[in-house]
Amino acid sequence: MKKIENTALQMIAEASRCPDYGPDMVKSLMKKLDMNEKGFALLMNVAPSTVRL
């Protein structure tokens, strides 16, 4: 029973991890969503300087 609990917790922890997006990925996503840096930052709930390219 304990092994099943550990596996479930590991799956939840892995699913909740945020992926790392590099500058090219962010730029591509912003273009796809037709958003500028300020709008994208608001969407992601981060400071505009975080997504400044």
Side-chain angles (χ1 to χ4, degrees):
M1 183 82 155
K2 191 73 165 167
K3 184 172 179 135
I4 293 172
E5 289 176 8
N6 285 341
T7 303
L9 289 175
Q10 289 168 344
M11 289 174 61
I12 292 168
E14 187 64 34
S16 67
R17 286 194 180 146
C18 284
D20 287 332
Y21 289 103
D24 292 336
M25 180 76 82
V26 171
K27 189 174 182 178
S28 174
L29 185 55
M30 285 172 41
K31 184 175 181 177
K32 184 176 182 178
L33 296 172
D34 192 29
M35 299 185 96
N36 61 20
E37 293 170 351
K38 186 175 182 179
F40 189 75
L42 286 170
L43 178 69
M44 300 306 293
N45 197 31
V46 296
S49 60
T50 303
V51 295
R52 193 155 295 130
L53 303 173

